[in-house]
């Protein structure tokens, strides 16, 4: 119980730090460009980060359980290609979207089965399927693109709610984020995820069906990545095999910077949302300052390293302070 209490105390401290970083990133953005604080820019920024934001939600649950999914961006690309290929074949759009979601579900289940049934490390499995799913996307479309989608579909991708500057995709994110927040903070599944992440064997002895829970998480990750693929296709009005290539870096960075422990057992949706805002603002501000995408990736890579090292260093310092206090207390009693 003490360990859990310390973990939550540390999480609260980390989220407070994220709030400070968020404010600093806003100040940085406003100093880099006079257009940063405009409502239209925030609308564009929200639309630009939505696919990564949506994929970060199931990634949060997966990492809390002690696993990882590096194939999400490739699943997005494969789902986008599946949608485009069917549309090019003359099929109705509702069927194309349904098939794209099915592709995402199957891809997620395949990842989950390799991890849970064969006992393979999720890092290795999803690193392999990241290349596999991206390769399948190129097999289906080659270097071609499908772009003749109807206006009703593309307007959903880059359009906003009438009378507002809020992108339609933000509604999907809000609904999913609230659902995941309830699951982690109120539901029994959330308690099971934390228990699995802290000690998988102890969770199994406590009656938690670890394999089934993890399979569910990977399936969920796959279908939500496919939803992101549909949104991405609508926003850019094309389906290409290289859609969202490299997005996995941002997704993992968002989750880890949000305070989710890379080894599992700790993390919140609130922290991930704060991290998401920071990443979105940093990319947007650098883009307004005409900083190249390669340099932006370097910055995100640095944030990823900080997100892994920072909490571990902070915890070690905290543990050292606690041990020193206990030692001083013991010496005084002696």
């Amino acid at each position: 119980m003490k360990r859990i209490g310390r973990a939550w105390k540390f999480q609260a401290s980390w989220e407070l730090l994220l709030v400070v970083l968020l404010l600093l990133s806003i100040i940085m953005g406003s100093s880099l460009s006079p257009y940063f604080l405009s409502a239209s820019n925030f609308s564009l920024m929200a639309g630009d980060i939505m696919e990564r934001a949506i994929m970060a939600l199931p990634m949060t649950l997966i990492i809390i359980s002690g696993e990882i999914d590096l194939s999400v961006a490739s699943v997005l690309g494969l789902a986008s290609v599946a949608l485009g290929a069917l549309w090019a074949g003359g099929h109705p759009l509702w069927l194309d979207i349904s098939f794209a979601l099915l592709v995402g579900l199957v891809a997620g289940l395949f990842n989950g089965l390799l991890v849970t049934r064969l006992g393979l490390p999720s890092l290795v499995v999803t690193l392999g399927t990241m290349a596999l799913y991206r390769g399948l996307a190129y097999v289906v479309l080659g270097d071609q693109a499908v772009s003749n989608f109807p206006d009703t579909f593309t307007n959903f991708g880059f359009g906003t709610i009438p009378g507002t500057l809020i992108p339609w995709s933000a509604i999907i994110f809000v609904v999913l984020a609230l659902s995941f927040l309830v699951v982690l903070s109120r539901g029994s599944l959330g308690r099971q995820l934390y228990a699995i992440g802290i000690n998988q064997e102890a969770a199994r002895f406590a009656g938690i069906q670890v394999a089934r829970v993890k399979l569910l998480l990977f399936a969920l990750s796959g279908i939500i990545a496919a939803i992101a693929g549909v949104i991405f296709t609508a926003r850019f009005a094309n389906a290409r095999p290289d859609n969202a290539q490299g997005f996995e870096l941002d997704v993992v960075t968002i989750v880890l910077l949000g305070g989710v422990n890379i080894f599992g057992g700790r993390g919140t949706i609130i922290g991930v949302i704060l991290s998401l805002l920071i990443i979105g603002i940093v990319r947007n501000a650098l883009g307004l300052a005409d900083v190249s995408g390669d340099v932006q990736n370097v910055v995100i890579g640095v944030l990823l390293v900080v997100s892994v090292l920072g909490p571990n260093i902070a915890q070690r310092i905290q543990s050292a302070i606690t041990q020193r206090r206990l030692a001083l207390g013991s010496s005084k009693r002696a």
Side-chain angles (χ1 to χ4, degrees):
M1 292 298 293
K2 289 183 179 179
R3 178 184 174 184
I4 295 175
R6 287 196 301 268
W8 282 110
K9 185 177 179 180
F10 175 81
Q11 186 68 34
S13 301
W14 186 259
E15 288 172 6
L16 181 60
L17 175 60
L18 290 177
V19 172
V20 174
L21 290 176
L22 178 60
L23 294 175
L24 291 175
S25 63
I26 293 173
I27 294 172
M28 179 198 73
S30 61
S31 65
L32 287 176
S33 172
Y35 306 105
F36 174 77
L37 292 177
S38 65
S40 58
N41 180 58
F42 278 113
S43 177
L44 292 172
M45 180 171 58
D48 186 57
I49 198 72
M50 274 305 113
E51 295 91 2
R52 282 165 279 203
I54 289 171
M55 292 190 292
L57 295 173
M59 182 73 80
T60 300
L61 305 191
I62 288 177
I63 295 181
I64 286 175
S65 72
E67 304 292 348
I68 196 168
D69 185 358
L70 297 177
S71 68
V72 287
S74 295
V75 174
L76 184 159
L78 182 59
S80 175
V81 163
L83 189 161
L86 283 186
W87 174 255
H91 299 282
L93 188 60
W94 68 267
L95 179 62
D96 305 342
I97 294 174
S98 300
F99 183 70
L101 298 182
L102 179 61
V103 167
L105 177 61
V106 171
L109 283 172
F110 183 67
N111 286 339
L113 288 172
L114 291 177
V115 172
T116 60
R117 302 305 179 193
L118 299 183
L120 300 175
S122 57
L123 176 65
V124 176
V125 167
T126 58
L127 189 63
T129 55
M130 177 178 71
L132 171 64
Y133 298 150
R134 187 67 67 180
L136 287 174
Y138 276 99
V139 168
V140 173
L141 278 187
D143 57 355
Q144 300 179 354
V146 178
S147 58
N148 58 334
F149 293 103
D151 292 340
T152 52
F153 178 61
T154 56
N155 286 341
F156 168 77
F158 56 78
T160 58
I161 299 172
T164 73
L165 290 175
I166 302 173
W168 283 107
S169 55
I171 301 299
I172 297 176
F173 171 72
V174 169
V175 171
L176 288 174
L178 290 175
S179 301
F180 278 72
L181 179 63
V182 171
V183 166
L184 269 185
S185 60
R186 302 290 182 181
S188 60
L189 178 60
R191 292 190 292 272
Q192 291 178 20
L193 293 180
Y194 287 117
I196 293 171
I198 292 172
N199 191 319
Q200 182 172 295
E201 291 304 317
R204 186 176 288 111
F205 282 119
I208 298 175
Q209 295 179 315
V210 175
R212 181 176 296 181
V213 170
K214 288 186 177 183
L215 182 62
L216 172 64
L217 293 181
F218 279 103
L220 185 64
S221 178
I223 195 168
I224 289 182
I227 292 173
V230 173
I231 295 172
F232 191 96
T233 305
R235 187 160 69 91
F236 287 93
N238 68 59
R240 295 171 52 91
D242 60 350
N243 276 354
Q245 194 159 357
F247 271 30
E248 54 276 333
L249 173 64
D250 279 18
V251 173
V252 173
T253 303
I254 288 167
V255 175
L256 297 185
L257 185 61
V260 179
N261 191 342
I262 186 62
F263 301 109
R266 189 189 71 231
T268 66
I269 293 296
I270 298 298
V272 170
I273 292 174
L274 289 171
S275 173
L276 165 69
L277 294 174
I278 293 170
I279 298 296
I281 288 173
V282 168
R283 276 204 178 273
N284 177 262
L286 293 177
L288 289 174
D290 291 327
V291 176
S292 68
D294 292 334
V295 175
Q296 291 182 35
N297 287 335
V298 170
V299 173
I300 298 302
V302 170
L303 287 175
L304 177 58
V305 173
V306 170
S307 67
V308 175
L309 292 179
N312 287 283
I313 293 173
Q315 281 191 321
R316 289 185 181 184
I317 293 173
Q318 189 178 43
S319 298
I321 292 173
T322 302
Q323 291 176 1
R324 184 174 178 80
R325 286 175 178 175
L326 291 174
L328 288 174
S330 300
S331 64
K332 287 180 180 179
R333 285 192 298 268

